[in-house]
Amino acid sequence: MNYYLLSYDLVDDYITRRAPLRDQHLGLAREAHARGELVLAGAFANPPDGATLVFRAPGQSVVEDFVRNDPYVLNGLVKHWKIRLWNVVIGDQKSPG
């Protein structure tokens, strides 16, 4: 299993536009968490211009599937997203490192 960071750059009016999509977005995240794929997730504050999600998965395609189905991405709240393989050095890495 590998760790992946998914980073979102959010639109300026993200806070006002997210309301009708928030339950769907959080539902998708909760499902990924229940499957053990999504480890941590959260948005930045002051300013609320981005978010980072930490995945633990056998491959990047798990994260790509999340992005393809995320209502925030599908409805233009995310300006740009990026997936990075993350080499965990200290912490709860459950794969040989």
Side-chain angles (χ1 to χ4, degrees):
M1 293 285 205
N2 296 309
Y3 283 94
Y4 296 91
L5 294 181
L6 170 60
S7 59
Y8 281 169
D9 293 328
L10 303 171
V11 295
D12 291 338
D13 58 349
Y14 154 77
I15 295 294
T16 56
R17 289 178 55 191
R18 75 178 177 179
L21 305 168
R22 189 171 165 99
D23 286 342
Q24 288 177 285
H25 169 76
L26 292 176
L28 183 69
R30 287 184 183 111
E31 290 170 7
H33 185 261
R35 289 190 302 271
E37 299 164 351
L38 182 58
V39 179
L40 295 168
F44 301 134
N46 302 324
D49 60 354
T52 297
L53 297 86
V54 179
F55 286 82
R56 185 171 177 272
Q60 183 169 317
S61 63
V62 169
V63 186
E64 291 167 348
D65 288 343
F66 182 91
V67 171
R68 273 193 289 275
N69 292 293
D70 189 347
Y72 285 2
V73 174
L74 296 173
N75 289 279
L77 276 69
V78 177
K79 293 189 287 190
H80 179 263
W81 55 269
K82 179 170 49 172
I83 300 169
R84 298 285 307 266
L85 180 61
W86 189 33
N87 293 321
V88 174
V89 178
I90 296 173
D92 188 18
Q93 66 267 31
K94 295 176 181 161
S95 60

